[in-house]
Amino acid sequence: MLKQVQQAFAEQGALSKAIDGFKAREPQKLMAASVTKSIENGNALLVEAGTGTGKTYAYLVPALLSGKKVILSTGTKNLQEQLYFRDLPTVLKALALPVDTSLLKGRSNYLCLFRLDQHYQHVPTADAAVINDLSLIKKWSNETQSGDIGELTYIAEDSKALPLVTSTADNCLGKDCPSYEDCYLLKARKKAMQADLVVVNHHLFFADMALKDTGFGELLPNMDVVIFDEAHQIPDIASEYFGETLSSRTLLELCKELELICKTELRDHPQLSKTADKLATLVRDWRLLWSDEPERGNWRDSSKRPDVQLALTRVSEAMGMLYQVLKGSLGRNEVVDHCFERLALAKTQLEKLQDVSKTGVSFWYETTRQHISLHLTPLSIADKFRELVFAEKRSWIFTSATLSVDQGFAHYIEQMGLQQADTLLLDSPFDYEQQAMLLVPRYLPEPNDARMGKALLKLAVPLIEANQGRCFFLFTSHRMLQWMANELPQHLSLPVLVQGTTSKRLLLEQFVETKHAVLLGTGSFWEGVDVRGDTLSCVIIDKLPFASPDDPLLQARNEDCQMKGLDPFALVQLPQAVITLKQGVGRLIRDVSDRGVLVICDNRLVTRPYGSVFLKSLPPMRRSRDLQAAVRFLEDLPK
């Protein structure tokens, strides 16, 4: 097979003949050869492929030529669609292969016919926008072949109607559903079962692994090759699924469904409605014990508060009462039977989440404006994941532009239990010395100094003006982003786009169309954003992206590290921050012709010993501490 792969990437090979302007890069060929070897030998491989390597083709070509069954998992739904609708057809056409492929999304992406029928006939709200959206969805339901909610481009992504017409693992009735035979999710999964290559995302993959979802567990055993793109996200996603979670939203939705059933099919059962209503009231009261502002905290500590203990005792008792009432109603209705099973599971989860004496895990909570969720997260997934990867003869390929720290994979290998995996570290083929400049400005206050906001503003304005916008300004906190969103427009005549004012997709479209805008963003803009060409030629980062010291999961991992006599800063906080920074930096140079300036407004890069770890992990750009040198670089760029 290696010979076939090499021929595909050759100068006059299948890819260069079929794809305009395609020219294989040396790192791309090396990666393709390593992936081929891993697929042939059935072992695990870690590949860091620097930006511009062309890693997608480097794993797709061997995977498709292997003739084996492949699961390809990527970080987000957007990347999943990009892979399935753009990259995969291109490579399949070039290789002229009759490979059967399938795109499988999470269940919330598919129309649930039963829930549509239920809520269309008995709309649970007087909200005119929801009623209008439900009518549009009903009309579309008679036309769609796939039931993929993504087809509803004329309905807002956050429409309140969508949760009413899609299912969750909790409220899906499974084989008891009256619409089971016509289920779009079931059809998508059947298609995936028969396909040679299935594209999923990490959340869907691990929902299956943790057996949190049904009807999908038979997919992995059929597969010979598992490829994770954006594999740096896996430790956090896998931890979430290998733990336990219970949300007030889950309980309130259950109560709402029971109330709807009592208004329609079980009108002779007022006790069920009253008991469900009582539980819903007590769950809302429990949420009110925290402030309106979203927060995360240590559940071990908070669970000891007398008011929290009292509220949870009342919730637990109300769950017990509802359990007994539902038990007496079994067999009368599919929804009631299913709610009984869900409540039994929620009772078990709550018991586990109240036993905070368990070690080796982090207990934490998170609030949104309306809900609270409790989490039990394992501090390490290494043992579980090692067991999964090496249990059977199967190829596992993990790739990303950001897996290594300080030129090595030790951190990732330790996190994931992949000590037996082969590794490959490929630098980007871009000429960073010529294409980019790294500016670490002089005379900045310390990152947490109260004067930092004004210093950032003073620094950013001349850079943005010299570049005529075309800038991403990335922040590590929402507080600083909001401050800058208020101040920056008063000092610039250019458009300022702010994360949170509209969807990420629309913001990016506006940024590209406007051409001379500056976009202010946090977390989600640090990765998975691809703006090529001279539309983006300046990226300003406010400070090194260390996780918040208040993060309960980080605190638990630090404590665990200390108990083992190890240094939590070197082994937990620093590697995580390096990988996040590498993601942010990767937004700047996306192509061989891109040029630009990266500004990191944090003097710890040069004043602290650990600064060298960050610098060694970044691409080899020319470096400067002189603001004027960066301004001149930007002024010389073609506009």
Side-chain angles (χ1 to χ4, degrees), residues 208-248:
D208 174 47
M209 286 299 94
L211 304 177
K212 290 274 177 74
D213 219 331
T214 53
F216 177 41
E218 64 272 25
L219 190 58
L220 181 68
N222 283 343
M223 297 297 167
D224 310 306
V225 180
V226 181
I227 301 172
F228 289 112
D229 198 347
E230 303 295 324
H232 63 279
Q233 298 177 359
I234 290 173
D236 286 343
I237 293 172
S239 297
E240 187 184 319
Y241 282 100
F242 287 144
E244 293 283 350
T245 302
L246 180 66
S247 164
S248 61

Short mmCIF file of all heavy atoms in Angstrom, two decimals, residues 208-248:
data_model
loop_
_atom_site.label_atom_id
_atom_site.label_comp_id
_atom_site.label_asym_id
_atom_site.label_seq_id
_atom_site.Cartn_x
_atom_site.Cartn_y
_atom_site.Cartn_z
N ASP A 208 -20.59 7.52 22.72
CA ASP A 208 -20.71 6.09 22.46
C ASP A 208 -19.80 5.28 23.38
O ASP A 208 -20.20 4.30 24.00
CB ASP A 208 -20.35 5.81 21.00
CG ASP A 208 -20.33 4.32 20.70
OD1 ASP A 208 -21.29 3.65 21.11
OD2 ASP A 208 -19.38 3.85 20.08
N MET A 209 -18.55 5.73 23.49
CA MET A 209 -17.57 5.00 24.32
C MET A 209 -18.04 4.88 25.77
O MET A 209 -17.83 3.88 26.43
CB MET A 209 -16.22 5.75 24.33
CG MET A 209 -15.43 5.64 23.06
SD MET A 209 -15.01 3.94 22.68
CE MET A 209 -16.34 3.46 21.61
N ALA A 210 -18.63 5.95 26.26
CA ALA A 210 -19.06 5.97 27.66
C ALA A 210 -20.45 5.34 27.83
O ALA A 210 -21.02 5.36 28.91
CB ALA A 210 -19.08 7.41 28.17
N LEU A 211 -20.97 4.78 26.73
CA LEU A 211 -22.29 4.13 26.74
C LEU A 211 -23.38 5.06 27.26
O LEU A 211 -24.31 4.64 27.93
CB LEU A 211 -22.25 2.84 27.57
CG LEU A 211 -21.19 1.83 27.12
CD1 LEU A 211 -21.18 0.63 28.05
CD2 LEU A 211 -21.45 1.36 25.69
N LYS A 212 -23.23 6.37 26.95
CA LYS A 212 -24.24 7.33 27.37
C LYS A 212 -25.35 7.43 26.34
O LYS A 212 -26.33 8.10 26.51
CB LYS A 212 -23.59 8.72 27.51
CG LYS A 212 -22.63 8.83 28.67
CD LYS A 212 -23.36 9.19 29.95
CE LYS A 212 -22.43 9.23 31.12
NZ LYS A 212 -21.58 10.38 31.16
N ASP A 213 -25.11 6.82 25.17
CA ASP A 213 -26.10 6.90 24.12
C ASP A 213 -26.42 5.46 23.70
O ASP A 213 -25.64 4.56 23.94
CB ASP A 213 -25.54 7.68 22.93
CG ASP A 213 -26.59 8.58 22.31
OD1 ASP A 213 -27.76 8.20 22.39
OD2 ASP A 213 -26.24 9.62 21.74
N THR A 214 -27.55 5.26 23.07
CA THR A 214 -27.92 3.89 22.68
C THR A 214 -27.96 3.76 21.18
O THR A 214 -28.10 4.75 20.46
CB THR A 214 -29.31 3.55 23.25
OG1 THR A 214 -30.22 4.57 22.85
CG2 THR A 214 -29.29 3.46 24.75
N GLY A 215 -27.82 2.55 20.70
CA GLY A 215 -27.96 2.29 19.27
C GLY A 215 -26.75 2.65 18.44
O GLY A 215 -26.79 2.59 17.22
N PHE A 216 -25.65 3.04 19.06
CA PHE A 216 -24.46 3.43 18.30
C PHE A 216 -23.27 2.59 18.74
O PHE A 216 -22.23 2.57 18.12
CB PHE A 216 -24.21 4.93 18.52
CG PHE A 216 -22.97 5.48 17.84
CD1 PHE A 216 -22.63 5.10 16.56
CD2 PHE A 216 -22.17 6.40 18.48
CE1 PHE A 216 -21.51 5.61 15.93
CE2 PHE A 216 -21.04 6.93 17.87
CZ PHE A 216 -20.72 6.54 16.58
N GLY A 217 -23.43 1.86 19.82
CA GLY A 217 -22.32 1.08 20.39
C GLY A 217 -21.77 0.02 19.46
O GLY A 217 -20.66 -0.44 19.63
N GLU A 218 -22.55 -0.36 18.44
CA GLU A 218 -22.08 -1.41 17.53
C GLU A 218 -21.20 -0.86 16.41
O GLU A 218 -20.69 -1.60 15.59
CB GLU A 218 -23.27 -2.18 16.92
CG GLU A 218 -24.19 -1.38 16.03
CD GLU A 218 -25.31 -0.70 16.80
OE1 GLU A 218 -25.15 -0.44 18.01
OE2 GLU A 218 -26.36 -0.41 16.19
N LEU A 219 -21.00 0.46 16.36
CA LEU A 219 -20.26 1.06 15.25
C LEU A 219 -18.75 0.82 15.37
O LEU A 219 -18.11 0.37 14.43
CB LEU A 219 -20.56 2.56 15.18
CG LEU A 219 -20.06 3.29 13.94
CD1 LEU A 219 -20.64 2.67 12.68
CD2 LEU A 219 -20.44 4.75 13.99
N LEU A 220 -18.17 1.11 16.54
CA LEU A 220 -16.71 0.99 16.69
C LEU A 220 -16.20 -0.43 16.46
O LEU A 220 -15.19 -0.60 15.77
CB LEU A 220 -16.27 1.50 18.07
CG LEU A 220 -14.74 1.43 18.29
CD1 LEU A 220 -14.01 2.40 17.38
CD2 LEU A 220 -14.38 1.71 19.73
N PRO A 221 -16.85 -1.48 17.01
CA PRO A 221 -16.30 -2.83 16.80
C PRO A 221 -16.14 -3.20 15.32
O PRO A 221 -15.34 -4.06 14.98
CB PRO A 221 -17.34 -3.74 17.48
CG PRO A 221 -17.97 -2.87 18.50
CD PRO A 221 -18.00 -1.50 17.91
N ASN A 222 -16.90 -2.56 14.43
CA ASN A 222 -16.79 -2.85 12.99
C ASN A 222 -15.61 -2.16 12.34
O ASN A 222 -15.31 -2.41 11.18
CB ASN A 222 -18.05 -2.36 12.26
CG ASN A 222 -19.21 -3.30 12.47
OD1 ASN A 222 -19.00 -4.43 12.89
ND2 ASN A 222 -20.41 -2.84 12.20
N MET A 223 -14.97 -1.24 13.05
CA MET A 223 -13.96 -0.39 12.42
C MET A 223 -12.53 -0.91 12.64
O MET A 223 -12.19 -1.39 13.71
CB MET A 223 -14.07 1.04 12.98
CG MET A 223 -15.40 1.69 12.65
SD MET A 223 -15.62 1.88 10.85
CE MET A 223 -17.36 2.28 10.74
N ASP A 224 -11.70 -0.75 11.58
CA ASP A 224 -10.30 -1.19 11.67
C ASP A 224 -9.37 -0.03 11.99
O ASP A 224 -8.28 -0.22 12.51
CB ASP A 224 -9.86 -1.79 10.31
CG ASP A 224 -10.84 -2.82 9.79
OD1 ASP A 224 -11.14 -3.76 10.55
OD2 ASP A 224 -11.34 -2.67 8.66
N VAL A 225 -9.80 1.19 11.63
CA VAL A 225 -8.93 2.36 11.77
C VAL A 225 -9.73 3.49 12.43
O VAL A 225 -10.86 3.78 12.01
CB VAL A 225 -8.43 2.84 10.38
CG1 VAL A 225 -7.52 4.06 10.53
CG2 VAL A 225 -7.71 1.72 9.63
N VAL A 226 -9.14 4.13 13.44
CA VAL A 226 -9.74 5.30 14.08
C VAL A 226 -8.77 6.47 13.92
O VAL A 226 -7.61 6.37 14.32
CB VAL A 226 -10.00 5.06 15.59
CG1 VAL A 226 -10.65 6.28 16.21
CG2 VAL A 226 -10.87 3.84 15.80
N ILE A 227 -9.24 7.57 13.32
CA ILE A 227 -8.39 8.75 13.12
C ILE A 227 -9.03 9.92 13.85
O ILE A 227 -10.19 10.26 13.61
CB ILE A 227 -8.24 9.09 11.62
CG1 ILE A 227 -7.61 7.91 10.86
CG2 ILE A 227 -7.39 10.35 11.44
CD1 ILE A 227 -7.59 8.08 9.35
N PHE A 228 -8.26 10.54 14.75
CA PHE A 228 -8.71 11.75 15.44
C PHE A 228 -7.96 12.95 14.88
O PHE A 228 -6.74 13.05 15.03
CB PHE A 228 -8.41 11.68 16.95
CG PHE A 228 -9.25 10.69 17.70
CD1 PHE A 228 -8.69 9.54 18.24
CD2 PHE A 228 -10.60 10.92 17.90
CE1 PHE A 228 -9.46 8.64 18.95
CE2 PHE A 228 -11.38 10.02 18.61
CZ PHE A 228 -10.81 8.88 19.13
N ASP A 229 -8.68 13.86 14.22
CA ASP A 229 -8.09 15.15 13.84
C ASP A 229 -8.43 16.13 14.97
O ASP A 229 -9.41 15.94 15.67
CB ASP A 229 -8.66 15.61 12.51
CG ASP A 229 -7.80 16.68 11.85
OD1 ASP A 229 -6.90 17.22 12.53
OD2 ASP A 229 -8.01 16.97 10.66
N GLU A 230 -7.65 17.19 15.13
CA GLU A 230 -7.80 18.09 16.28
C GLU A 230 -7.75 17.27 17.57
O GLU A 230 -8.57 17.46 18.49
CB GLU A 230 -9.12 18.90 16.19
CG GLU A 230 -9.27 19.71 14.92
CD GLU A 230 -8.26 20.83 14.78
OE1 GLU A 230 -7.90 21.45 15.79
OE2 GLU A 230 -7.78 21.08 13.66
N ALA A 231 -6.77 16.38 17.65
CA ALA A 231 -6.69 15.42 18.76
C ALA A 231 -6.30 16.08 20.09
O ALA A 231 -6.45 15.46 21.15
CB ALA A 231 -5.69 14.32 18.43
N HIS A 232 -5.84 17.33 20.05
CA HIS A 232 -5.49 18.01 21.31
C HIS A 232 -6.72 18.24 22.19
O HIS A 232 -6.60 18.46 23.39
CB HIS A 232 -4.81 19.36 21.01
CG HIS A 232 -5.70 20.32 20.29
ND1 HIS A 232 -5.90 20.26 18.92
CD2 HIS A 232 -6.47 21.34 20.72
CE1 HIS A 232 -6.75 21.21 18.56
NE2 HIS A 232 -7.11 21.88 19.64
N GLN A 233 -7.92 18.18 21.58
CA GLN A 233 -9.16 18.41 22.36
C GLN A 233 -9.60 17.17 23.14
O GLN A 233 -10.45 17.25 24.01
CB GLN A 233 -10.30 18.80 21.42
CG GLN A 233 -10.07 20.08 20.65
CD GLN A 233 -11.21 20.37 19.68
OE1 GLN A 233 -12.16 19.62 19.57
NE2 GLN A 233 -11.10 21.46 18.95
N ILE A 234 -9.04 16.00 22.80
CA ILE A 234 -9.58 14.75 23.33
C ILE A 234 -9.46 14.60 24.84
O ILE A 234 -10.43 14.15 25.47
CB ILE A 234 -8.95 13.54 22.59
CG1 ILE A 234 -9.49 13.53 21.18
CG2 ILE A 234 -9.27 12.22 23.28
CD1 ILE A 234 -8.86 12.51 20.30
N PRO A 235 -8.34 14.94 25.48
CA PRO A 235 -8.28 14.73 26.94
C PRO A 235 -9.46 15.36 27.70
O PRO A 235 -10.05 14.71 28.56
CB PRO A 235 -6.94 15.38 27.34
CG PRO A 235 -6.10 15.27 26.11
CD PRO A 235 -7.04 15.44 24.96
N ASP A 236 -9.82 16.59 27.35
CA ASP A 236 -10.92 17.26 28.06
C ASP A 236 -12.28 16.65 27.71
O ASP A 236 -13.13 16.45 28.58
CB ASP A 236 -10.94 18.76 27.73
CG ASP A 236 -9.81 19.51 28.43
OD1 ASP A 236 -9.25 18.95 29.40
OD2 ASP A 236 -9.47 20.61 28.00
N ILE A 237 -12.49 16.35 26.43
CA ILE A 237 -13.79 15.80 26.00
C ILE A 237 -13.98 14.40 26.59
O ILE A 237 -15.05 14.08 27.11
CB ILE A 237 -13.90 15.78 24.47
CG1 ILE A 237 -13.96 17.22 23.93
CG2 ILE A 237 -15.14 15.01 24.01
CD1 ILE A 237 -13.87 17.34 22.42
N ALA A 238 -12.93 13.58 26.54
CA ALA A 238 -13.04 12.21 27.07
C ALA A 238 -13.29 12.23 28.58
O ALA A 238 -14.09 11.44 29.09
CB ALA A 238 -11.78 11.42 26.74
N SER A 239 -12.62 13.15 29.29
CA SER A 239 -12.82 13.26 30.75
C SER A 239 -14.27 13.52 31.09
O SER A 239 -14.84 12.94 32.02
CB SER A 239 -11.98 14.41 31.33
OG SER A 239 -10.62 14.16 31.14
N GLU A 240 -14.88 14.40 30.30
CA GLU A 240 -16.29 14.77 30.51
C GLU A 240 -17.19 13.53 30.38
O GLU A 240 -18.09 13.32 31.17
CB GLU A 240 -16.63 15.80 29.43
CG GLU A 240 -17.96 16.46 29.53
CD GLU A 240 -18.20 17.39 28.33
OE1 GLU A 240 -17.27 18.11 27.91
OE2 GLU A 240 -19.32 17.36 27.82
N TYR A 241 -16.92 12.71 29.37
CA TYR A 241 -17.79 11.55 29.12
C TYR A 241 -17.51 10.36 30.02
O TYR A 241 -18.38 9.51 30.22
CB TYR A 241 -17.72 11.13 27.64
CG TYR A 241 -18.54 12.04 26.77
CD1 TYR A 241 -17.95 13.06 26.03
CD2 TYR A 241 -19.93 11.92 26.71
CE1 TYR A 241 -18.71 13.92 25.25
CE2 TYR A 241 -20.69 12.78 25.94
CZ TYR A 241 -20.08 13.77 25.21
OH TYR A 241 -20.84 14.62 24.44
N PHE A 242 -16.29 10.28 30.56
CA PHE A 242 -15.98 9.18 31.47
C PHE A 242 -16.38 9.50 32.91
O PHE A 242 -16.10 8.73 33.82
CB PHE A 242 -14.48 8.84 31.41
CG PHE A 242 -14.07 8.14 30.13
CD1 PHE A 242 -12.83 8.38 29.55
CD2 PHE A 242 -14.92 7.25 29.51
CE1 PHE A 242 -12.46 7.73 28.37
CE2 PHE A 242 -14.56 6.60 28.33
CZ PHE A 242 -13.32 6.84 27.77
N GLY A 243 -17.02 10.65 33.10
CA GLY A 243 -17.48 11.03 34.44
C GLY A 243 -18.99 10.95 34.55
O GLY A 243 -19.66 10.20 33.84
N GLU A 244 -19.54 11.73 35.48
CA GLU A 244 -21.01 11.78 35.69
C GLU A 244 -21.44 13.24 35.67
O GLU A 244 -20.72 14.12 36.17
CB GLU A 244 -21.39 11.18 37.05
CG GLU A 244 -21.15 9.70 37.19
CD GLU A 244 -22.21 8.84 36.48
OE1 GLU A 244 -23.22 9.41 36.04
OE2 GLU A 244 -21.98 7.63 36.37
N THR A 245 -22.62 13.51 35.13
CA THR A 245 -23.17 14.87 35.11
C THR A 245 -24.66 14.81 35.37
O THR A 245 -25.34 13.94 34.83
CB THR A 245 -22.93 15.54 33.74
OG1 THR A 245 -21.55 15.55 33.45
CG2 THR A 245 -23.43 16.98 33.74
N LEU A 246 -25.15 15.74 36.18
CA LEU A 246 -26.60 15.89 36.34
C LEU A 246 -26.92 17.38 36.31
O LEU A 246 -26.30 18.16 37.04
CB LEU A 246 -27.09 15.28 37.65
CG LEU A 246 -28.61 15.40 37.89
CD1 LEU A 246 -29.39 14.59 36.86
CD2 LEU A 246 -28.98 14.95 39.29
N SER A 247 -27.87 17.74 35.45
CA SER A 247 -28.21 19.16 35.30
C SER A 247 -29.65 19.42 35.72
O SER A 247 -30.53 18.56 35.54
CB SER A 247 -28.02 19.56 33.84
OG SER A 247 -28.66 20.77 33.56
N SER A 248 -29.89 20.61 36.25
CA SER A 248 -31.27 21.00 36.59
C SER A 248 -32.12 21.01 35.31
O SER A 248 -33.32 20.74 35.35
CB SER A 248 -31.28 22.39 37.24
OG SER A 248 -30.75 23.37 36.37
#
